[in-house]
Amino acid sequence: MSIKIKELAFVYHPVTDVARARKFYEGLLGLKTGMEIEFGPGQWWIEYDIAGQALAVSNAMPGTPASSLTLEVESLDDSMTAARAAGVEIAFETMEFPPCRIFGIKDPDGNQIGLHQRKA
């Protein structure tokens, strides 16, 4: 018998400093908060809605930096310019493939995020 998956629940990134994470995810990436729960004093679970999928960040659950998230962007070149201007760590430089281009950044806790643009 196999496990029956219904849908993607969320992608999770552990963070250590919620204010710093919010500045990155809401400020640089422009994501909007979908849900936020304070489990205890200063212990947060925050979800951002990305096209009907949830990206969760939390300092309430242990974890090591992940590299599980890739976001589609309008302009890869403009995104690289914005990332460099913000002083964000570049995880990997732009790579070119027949259907797309991609580069990677890291959030303040070292979680890797791919920024991707499909070709026309």
Side-chain angles (χ1 to χ4, degrees):
M1 182 166 106
S2 66
I3 296 172
K4 294 180 178 17
I5 305 296
K6 291 173 44 178
E7 61 187 29
L8 177 68
F10 57 84
V11 173
Y12 167 71
H13 279 173
V15 300
T16 55
D17 182 322
V18 172
R20 182 179 67 177
R22 291 187 89 137
K23 183 178 177 185
F24 177 84
Y25 286 100
E26 296 168 25
L28 178 66
L29 297 183
L31 299 179
K32 304 293 182 225
T33 304
M35 176 177 66
E36 53 186 285
I37 300 169
E38 188 173 21
F39 292 115
Q43 298 293 302
W44 288 93
W45 178 272
I46 301 166
E47 289 185 5
Y48 298 103
D49 179 59
I50 304 170
Q53 301 299 317
L55 166 62
V57 299
S58 178
N59 64 342
M61 294 177 54
T64 56
S67 60
S68 60
L69 177 66
T70 301
L71 302 172
E72 187 71 16
V73 297
E74 288 183 16
S75 168
L76 199 72
D77 296 328
D78 290 349
S79 298
M80 177 64 87
T81 299
R84 289 198 192 281
V88 171
E89 182 180 349
I90 304 299
F92 59 91
E93 294 292 332
T94 301
M95 296 188 299
E96 188 94 22
F97 299 99
C100 65
R101 298 168 60 220
I102 186 171
F103 75 92
I105 59 175
K106 290 189 177 182
D107 80 1
D109 286 283
N111 296 296
Q112 185 172 299
I113 299 167
L115 298 177
H116 178 271
Q117 183 179 16
R118 291 181 188 92
K119 294 180 179 175

